[in-house]
Amino acid sequence: MISEQLVDLSRLQFAATAMYHFLFVPLTLGMVWLLVIMESVYVMTGKVIYKDMTKFWGKLFGINFAMGVATGITLEFQFGTNWAYYSHYVGDIFGVPLAVEGLMAFFLESTFIGLFFFGWDRLSKVQHLMVTILLAVGSNLSALWILIANGWMQDPVGATFNYETMRMELADFWSVMFNPTAQAKFVHTVSAGYVTGSVFVLAISSWYLLKRRNVEFAKRSFRIAAAFGLASAASVIVLGDESGYTVTESQQTKLAAMEAVWETEPAPAGFTLFAIPNEREMRNDYAIHIPYVMGLIGTRSLSKEIPGIAEIKENNRHRVLSGIDAVVALEALRADPADAAARAALDRHLPDLGFGLLLKKYVADVREATPQMIDRAVADTIPRVTPMFWAFRLMVGLGFALFALFAAASYYTLKGGFEHRRWLLWWALLFLPVPWLAAELGWFVAEYGRQPWTIFGVLPTHLSVSSLEVGSLYGSLAGFVGFYTLLAVADVYLMTRFARQGPGSLGTGRYDRDPGGGGTMQPAPAQPVRE
């Protein structure tokens, strides 16, 4: 049997590299569409300040894009190095969207990012704008195919199990592509990226306004970021609700853990605003409920129940017992492919095969599983409630706080004089790290909430890892964390350096702090400030 230490280290290494990578992804997704908006205004109006905005913010986008590529490539290699059995078991399905992402999306964005930076003097205005649009499309296509792959891990549709090859095989490509879980994750994730890009531009523009530097440049950037951010934040909230609905349909354990629902409630269930989960006694020591809300959000009805953890565990117990029969039948078929009785038994119990495999963590021959082992396997099917409950609420709270920021910023850009409201500018500046924190929390909820599965209900995590030496994992984990930390520091350093320098780094002579000394724009004189 695979050691728990090997599994935990493999999970930790993948989680670390994924979390580092996702520090760069949201900003790439959001910044690129802001560049499209800025350059579109330049093409329509001919005002050179919008061209400068596109170039300056594009420089910061390029730094972040390079770091994202450097950290992202490693993740795909880890499927083969650290998760070899996973790759063998589901490679026929999981590999398809990854291959399409590499061939279509990655090469598309990699090609057009070169044209974006080096094509300003070689392409017409409209041609360069088309390059920027295609760069944005390529970035979002990359996210689409990655999230189709991840969505299939959450809700494995369009695939069948072949006992002869011991692999999952693709049966319906279109079901995988249009998987509701994947589509909901895509729109929710890219919207969160748009919020991240908007906060980034809003915060840095606010810093310029607080310093009274490049005021007209910062005001225009602020207005665009506020409007785009407001639409994006509203989309995150609406599409997050849709993502929650798909979780109700495909992963009831995740929903029950997120909401600390221990017992099935009469429909429609209430929303737990605050609670102190007691996992040992399977109850909440204290809770504040809002009646009906969770039932309406989670089921879109007044009559459907949301099952509690106690009911889910009882159902999963039956599935584990059925899964034992499936594993026994599978092993019989592997020994004698002509065994008709074993084939019939496998067909009958196949949907529960993954639940039977959960017992492999505790015993090599599932027929020897004791009641205690079965209890442990059943308990494994529920992720820990406390981290899920609080991570989800913190993520939602940060999402609404970001919406409030953009609502205030948009209101005062329409009313006028926003550049003199220091409280608003400080709010935007201090909220710079918030969208990253919300995004990382969202991924934690999605991935931790899927445990104990790599493929939900199909392949347990403990069976997915490669046969590696624990010592090598410690070494590679330390190497990845050290190297990625250096990349993150380099990214922050470069971003901070160019952000401090501002549009003067373009060397146009139109802004202050021009490195060539040609800048003629000085800080604006002090204006009356309305707090």
Side-chain angles (χ1 to χ4, degrees):
M1 292 184 290
I2 300 294
S3 72
E4 288 191 38
Q5 187 179 23
L6 175 61
V7 176
D8 290 343
L9 283 172
S10 297
R11 289 178 60 193
L12 179 60
Q13 180 168 302
F14 193 86
T17 52
M19 289 297 194
Y20 269 105
H21 176 57
F22 207 70
L23 291 173
F24 307 106
V25 171
L27 186 58
T28 296
L29 293 173
M31 281 282 286
V32 70
W33 285 111
L34 287 164
L35 298 180
V36 169
I37 295 170
M38 293 171 183
E39 189 169 359
S40 297
V41 177
Y42 164 62
V43 170
M44 290 185 290
T45 65
K47 294 182 178 180
V48 71
I49 190 171
Y50 289 103
K51 178 181 180 181
D52 292 343
M53 288 164 60
T54 308
K55 284 188 170 183
F56 171 69
W57 295 113
K59 181 180 293 187
L60 298 181
F61 164 81
I63 295 169
N64 184 80
F65 179 88
M67 296 297 182
V69 171
T71 55
I73 291 175
T74 308
L75 282 174
E76 298 199 14
F77 282 107
Q78 281 192 350
F79 290 119
T81 57
N82 290 48
W83 301 92
Y85 191 74
Y86 166 86
S87 299
H88 164 80
Y89 200 77
V90 300
D92 286 355
I93 304 102
F94 190 80
V96 172
L98 290 187
V100 175
E101 188 268 340
L103 293 172
M104 177 195 295
F106 183 75
F107 287 119
L108 179 66
E109 59 183 329
S110 298
T111 298
F112 285 105
I113 197 170
L115 290 173
F116 174 83
F117 284 109
F118 301 109
W120 284 103
D121 299 325
R122 295 173 174 83
L123 302 171
S124 68
K125 289 181 180 179
V126 174
Q127 288 173 333
H128 194 277
L129 174 60
M130 291 305 300
V131 165
T132 309
I133 292 172
L134 289 171
L135 174 60
V137 170
S139 298
N140 281 257
L141 280 176
S142 286
L144 172 65
W145 291 108
I146 292 298
L147 289 167
I148 285 174
N150 183 267
W152 185 80
M153 295 171 68
Q154 309 284 347
D155 185 12
V157 298
T160 58
F161 175 73
N162 186 333
Y163 72 90
E164 294 178 338
T165 62
M166 290 294 290
R167 294 164 63 95
M168 297 293 293
E169 297 179 351
L170 184 64
D172 187 346
F173 172 76
W174 299 110
S175 293
V176 174
M177 182 172 179
F178 293 106
N179 183 350
T181 299
Q183 297 302 317
K185 285 178 70 66
F186 169 69
V187 293
H188 184 56
T189 302
V190 297
S191 295
Y194 301 162
V195 169
T196 305
S198 300
V199 170
F200 183 79
V201 174
L202 198 76
I204 296 176
S205 300
S206 296
W207 187 78
Y208 294 147
L209 293 171
L210 288 166
K211 294 290 186 179
R212 309 306 300 161
R213 289 177 47 200
N214 302 312
V215 172
E216 289 304 314
F217 183 97
K219 285 168 63 176
R220 285 172 166 81
S221 298
F222 188 100
R223 288 192 186 99
I224 290 174
F228 186 63
L230 180 62
S232 301
S235 297
V236 167
I237 294 171
V238 173
L239 297 170
D241 171 68
E242 180 62 27
S243 185
Y245 177 68
T246 62
V247 168
T248 307
E249 296 292 306
S250 60
Q251 289 180 290
Q252 293 179 341
T253 53
K254 181 185 291 186
L255 182 68
M258 285 164 44
E259 296 302 323
V261 179
W262 301 102
E263 301 291 341
T264 303
E265 301 177 13
F271 175 75
T272 307
L273 184 64
F274 176 87
I276 303 176
N278 185 333
E279 300 195 49
R280 177 174 295 180
E281 299 183 17
M282 291 184 60
R283 63 183 178 85
N284 295 324
D285 289 336
Y286 178 80
I288 299 175
H289 296 282
I290 302 176
Y292 306 142
V293 172
M294 193 61 236
L296 295 173
I297 293 174
T299 67
R300 302 286 198 272
S301 76
L302 295 171
S303 58
K304 291 183 180 179
E305 292 182 337
I306 294 177
I309 290 174
E311 180 182 337
I312 292 172
K313 289 179 72 172
E314 191 58 34
N315 290 336
N316 288 347
R317 180 180 300 279
H318 293 299
R319 299 198 68 179
V320 169
L321 294 174
S322 172
I324 293 175
D325 293 331
V327 173
V328 171
L330 177 61
E331 291 173 348
L333 272 176
R334 296 286 293 168
D336 180 10
D339 189 336
R343 177 60 187 271
L346 179 62
D347 290 342
R348 189 163 56 252
H349 297 282
L350 185 59
D352 301 322
L353 175 63
F355 286 82
L357 293 174
L358 288 172
L359 288 167
K360 290 286 187 176
K361 182 177 180 180
Y362 304 109
V363 62
D365 187 345
V366 297
R367 289 170 293 190
E368 298 176 0
T370 64
Q372 291 76 19
M373 292 176 181
I374 292 173
D375 288 343
R376 293 172 69 183
V378 171
D380 287 343
T381 63
I382 308 296
R384 287 192 61 202
V385 172
T386 302
M388 288 287 292
F389 181 84
W390 286 112
F392 177 71
R393 269 145 191 77
L394 183 55
M395 176 192 69
V396 171
L398 293 176
F400 278 102
L402 288 165
F403 179 80
L405 169 62
F406 285 117
S410 298
Y411 172 77
Y412 285 109
T413 57
L414 294 174
K415 185 178 180 180
F418 69 89
E419 68 274 19
H420 306 308
R421 300 181 185 275
R422 295 180 66 84
W423 63 267
L424 177 62
L425 302 179
W426 275 110
W427 185 6
L429 183 58
L430 293 174
F431 259 49
L432 178 57
V434 169
W436 277 276
L437 178 57
E440 297 286 358
L441 286 168
W443 274 107
F444 173 82
V445 169
E447 299 305 299
Y448 185 79
R450 191 182 64 238
Q451 294 306 310
W453 310 99
T454 45
I455 307 299
F456 187 79
V458 173
L459 181 64
T461 303
H462 72 272
L463 291 181
S464 305
V465 297
S466 304
S467 298
L468 299 172
E469 295 293 332
V470 170
S472 67
L473 275 173
Y474 275 116
S476 58
L477 176 60
F480 279 126
V481 170
F483 178 63
Y484 279 10
T485 299
L486 289 176
L487 286 180
V489 170
D491 181 72
V492 172
Y493 169 76
L494 292 171
M495 289 284 211
T496 303
R497 176 186 174 187
F498 284 105
R500 285 181 177 275
Q501 193 172 347
S505 63
L506 299 175
T508 62
R510 291 187 285 270
Y511 306 97
D512 64 317
R513 300 198 180 187
D514 190 318
T520 58
M521 183 176 291
Q522 300 298 320
Q527 299 287 335
V529 174
R530 293 192 295 273
E531 293 292 347

